[in-house]
């Protein structure tokens, strides 16, 4: 009986604990990339776009919106660094763990 309780608690608590974890780290390329607002990039040159995607649920438990947003921004920063950009601007809201970004090269 105790084993069943342990397995049940593990089944329910592990996804809950994992739902708040941030699994995406900023790479050396992404370190130099800033998240800006559209009104901050008037002097910048558009490099391109990128779309970030991350898991918005662990099992049936939704992940925290702040955690998902942080991962999406980190992924976009990493990609922008590889594209030669040094700034990103969110292009829309998060939908099902996905968000579009515009990549800029700013002075």
């Amino acid at each position: 009986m105790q084993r069943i309780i342990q397995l049940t608690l593990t089944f329910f608590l592990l996804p809950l604990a994992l739902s708040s974890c941030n699994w995406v780290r900023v790479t050396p390329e992404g370190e130099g990339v800033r998240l800006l607002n559209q009104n901050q990039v008037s002097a910048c040159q558009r490099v391109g776009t990128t779309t970030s995607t991350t898991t918005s649920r662990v099992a049936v438990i939704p992940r925290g919106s702040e955690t998902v947003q942080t991962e999406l921004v980190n992924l976009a920063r990493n990609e922008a660094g590889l594209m030669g950009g040094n700034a990103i601007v969110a292009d829309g809201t998060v939908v099902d763990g996905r968000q579009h970004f515009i990549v800029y090269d700013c002075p």
Side-chain angles (χ1 to χ4, degrees):
M1 182 65 168
Q2 185 178 5
R3 181 74 175 147
I4 292 173
I5 293 172
Q6 288 175 337
L7 289 173
T8 302
L9 287 175
T10 300
F11 178 75
F12 287 108
L13 294 179
L14 185 60
L16 184 62
L18 291 175
S19 68
S20 64
C21 292
N22 181 345
W23 296 311
V24 178
R25 302 287 180 242
V26 178
T27 62
E29 294 83 5
E31 285 290 335
V33 178
R34 301 169 292 157
L35 175 64
L36 301 177
N37 295 319
Q38 189 64 45
N39 61 352
Q40 296 174 295
V41 293
S42 59
C44 304
Q45 181 175 351
R46 183 178 169 144
V47 174
T49 62
T50 187
T51 300
S52 299
T53 305
T54 192
T55 303
S56 60
R57 295 181 167 275
V58 174
V60 295
I61 299 173
R63 297 179 69 212
S65 60
E66 187 175 314
T67 300
V68 170
Q69 180 67 57
T70 299
E71 286 187 3
L72 293 171
V73 169
N74 287 351
L75 287 165
R77 288 176 64 195
N78 293 344
E79 186 62 26
L82 293 173
M83 294 170 65
N86 61 9
I88 56 171
V89 173
D91 187 25
T93 59
V94 178
V95 177
D96 295 328
R98 175 180 287 233
Q99 188 171 20
H100 303 284
F101 294 86
I102 304 170
V103 179
Y104 290 93
D105 182 26
C106 300

